[in-house]
Amino acid sequence: MQQGLDCHLFTPAEPLHLANIIKEQPIFSTRAHVFQIDPNTKKNWVPTSKHAVTVSYFFDSTRNVYRIISLDGSKAIINSTITPNMTFTKTSQKFGQWADSRANTVYGLGFSSESHLVKFADKFAEFKEAARLAKERSQEKMELTSTPSQESAPGDLQSPLTSDSINGTDDERVTPGTPQHTEPRAEPSQNALPFSHSSSSINKHWEAELAALKGNNAKLTAALLESTANVKQWKQQLAAYQEEAERLHKRVTELECVSGQTTVIKSQKMELNQTIEELELALKAKEEELERLKAEVESANEFQSEKDSLAEKLQETESRNQVLEAQLSDLEQRLESSQLEREAFHKSLRSLLELLDNKIFELTELRDTLAKLLEGS
């Protein structure tokens, strides 16, 4: 928790103002699909943008910090301050992620190519190193400015400088201002006294000293007010850090409880793996059965098509059979009529033969009679 007090990089996430972003220029930009970890399961990714959006690195010169910012329209879907303890992890060729403890989430970025991911990761490492150096410079500056201020400023005037150096804000503006106005004005007073012995010059000198002290007093009063506001802010931040520490402690306790149940989880995992294997075998058998049924369905379809063609042929045969039956009945009728005609013809022939036989017999008798007559004469 002391590191959080010593460095301004660990302040809680402030609300993102579009006006500040417009004033600042991005130092690196790319396009990616933005995801956040599901706060409920802590396992699944939830997309925060429907399409690829611009993700940019910004440098906040007022706070000397680097931030990752992404906007989807007017909505800020990423507002993450880069800290020295952050790590950007490439989980695949086109996907990377980092955890932001202040926002209590994990951000994920999906890029269109591996080169974009590599560039973003390089910039992350570069700005992380810059944030680390800025933190070290801020700590060194606070150590250097706190020691001279304790020696030069008496009693009550020491508190604003000390509190301001602890807060880590306006170090370059307030701390250098004190020695620039107190020490140079102390030297003219020591050099001017040996050369001036009149009371008027002494009075002017002390009036100038008084005016300088009044100016310093006004500056120190303003610094004291600003430091008081910073102290309140740090108290709020300290309370937020304590809440975060309690939450992390609870999380650690939960993880310890979970780690105590690893054997049970392993056994359950083995049972689940065995169940999965059995299900995979059953699924494979079902797939084979499905393939066999598909083959049977295909053969049944072929049989159905053959059946349909045979039915069509049968229908054609039946129609032709009906035509042939009609022709056969006609032929039978014609045959019967021809048989009747033939029988009638045979009857007429028999009657003619009988008649002919009678005539022949009569002619024979007539011949015999004529022959007898010839012989008698």
Side-chain angles (χ1 to χ4, degrees):
M1 297 302 295
Q2 184 64 30
Q3 292 180 356
L5 293 174
D6 291 340
C7 183
H8 194 66
L9 291 173
F10 288 88
T11 55
E14 294 86 353
L16 186 60
H17 298 289
L18 294 177
N20 295 334
I21 297 176
I22 294 173
K23 292 179 182 178
E24 300 174 8
Q25 294 295 328
I27 53 181
F28 178 78
S29 296
T30 185
R31 292 186 67 82
H33 292 271
V34 181
F35 300 85
Q36 283 191 17
I37 201 71
D38 190 350
N40 296 323
T41 62
K42 298 294 183 181
K43 294 180 180 180
N44 301 324
W45 289 105
V46 178
T48 57
S49 61
K50 296 181 180 179
H51 49 79
V53 296
T54 301
V55 182
S56 303
Y57 287 98
F58 283 84
F59 177 68
D60 188 351
S61 58
T62 59
R63 295 172 49 201
N64 196 24
V65 296
Y66 294 88
R67 292 189 295 170
I68 302 174
I69 296 172
S70 178
L71 300 177
D72 189 4
S74 60
K75 178 184 177 183
I77 56 179
I78 297 179
N79 180 19
S80 179
T81 301
I82 300 176
T83 59
N85 59 346
M86 281 186 177
T87 301
F88 184 81
T89 305
K90 293 183 285 186
T91 58
S92 67
Q93 294 182 352
K94 297 182 181 180
F95 193 87
Q97 65 184 45
W98 78 95
D100 191 340
S101 59
R102 296 180 309 108
N104 192 22
T105 188
V106 179
Y107 293 103
L109 296 179
F111 297 88
S112 59
S113 63
E114 185 177 2
S115 60
H116 290 81
L117 173 61
V118 172
K119 289 181 182 178
F120 188 89
D122 294 340
K123 291 294 180 182
F124 193 97
E126 177 184 347
F127 298 143
K128 174 184 174 182
E129 180 67 17
R132 185 186 66 80
L133 295 175
K135 175 184 176 182
E136 293 178 355
R137 287 197 299 268
S138 177
Q139 291 177 347
E140 292 175 358
K141 189 182 295 182
M142 286 186 289
E143 292 176 357
L144 292 174
T145 54
S146 60
T147 304
S149 62
Q150 291 175 356
E151 295 176 355
S152 61
D156 296 335
L157 298 180
Q158 178 65 27
S159 59
L161 297 178
T162 304
S163 62
D164 194 37
S165 63
I166 292 174
N167 290 332
T169 58
D170 297 333
D171 290 336
E172 298 179 356
R173 181 175 60 84
V174 178
T175 307
T178 303
Q180 286 178 359
H181 291 287
T182 55
E183 293 180 1
R185 289 188 181 275
E187 291 177 1
S189 62
Q190 294 174 359
N191 295 330
L193 286 175
F195 296 98
S196 177
H197 301 284
S198 63
S199 60
S200 60
S201 61
I202 293 174
N203 289 333
K204 291 179 180 179
H205 167 70
W206 285 114
E207 287 176 358
E209 287 291 330
L210 181 60
L213 289 174
K214 286 182 179 180
N216 290 334
N217 190 19
K219 292 179 180 179
L220 291 174
T221 303
L224 177 61
L225 295 174
E226 186 176 359
S227 299
T228 303
N230 290 330
V231 167
K232 292 180 180 179
Q233 182 181 1
W234 279 109
K235 287 181 179 179
Q236 295 175 357
Q237 294 173 1
L238 180 60
Y241 291 141
Q242 289 176 350
E243 292 178 358
E244 181 70 13
E246 292 178 358
R247 187 188 67 79
L248 292 175
H249 181 69
K250 291 180 181 178
R251 180 62 178 167
V252 169
T253 306
E254 293 175 358
L255 292 176
E256 288 177 352
C257 294
V258 171
S259 63
Q261 300 174 354
T262 38
T263 55
V264 179
I265 293 173
K266 286 182 179 178
S267 62
Q268 292 178 354
K269 184 178 179 181
M270 291 176 64
E271 292 178 357
L272 288 174
N273 289 332
Q274 186 177 0
T275 306
I276 289 170
E277 291 178 357
E278 293 176 356
L279 290 175
E280 286 179 350
L281 293 174
L283 180 61
K284 188 176 181 181
K286 293 294 182 183
E287 288 179 351
E288 293 177 355
E289 182 70 17
L290 182 61
E291 292 294 332
R292 186 180 63 79
L293 290 175
K294 285 182 179 178
E296 290 181 357
V297 168
E298 290 178 355
S299 61
N301 291 331
E302 292 178 357
F303 290 150
Q304 185 66 30
S305 61
E306 291 179 358
K307 181 181 177 182
D308 293 338
S309 62
L310 290 174
E312 290 178 357
K313 291 180 180 179
L314 180 61
Q315 187 176 3
E316 292 177 358
T317 305
E318 288 179 352
S319 60
R320 291 178 61 186
N321 190 16
Q322 291 177 358
V323 172
L324 291 174
E325 285 180 354
Q327 292 178 357
L328 181 60
S329 61
D330 186 20
L331 289 174
E332 288 177 350
Q333 291 177 0
R334 291 173 61 184
L335 181 60
E336 289 178 357
S337 62
S338 63
Q339 286 179 352
L340 293 174
E341 291 178 355
R342 184 178 178 182
E343 289 177 357
F345 180 70
H346 281 292
K347 288 180 180 180
S348 61
L349 282 178
R350 287 192 189 98
S351 62
L352 288 174
L353 285 173
E354 290 176 356
L355 180 62
L356 182 61
D357 289 338
N358 293 328
K359 295 294 183 183
I360 291 172
F361 183 73
E362 290 177 357
L363 288 174
T364 304
E365 288 181 353
L366 180 61
R367 178 180 177 282
D368 292 337
T369 303
L370 291 176
K372 289 177 179 181
L373 287 176
L374 287 174
E375 289 176 359
S377 61

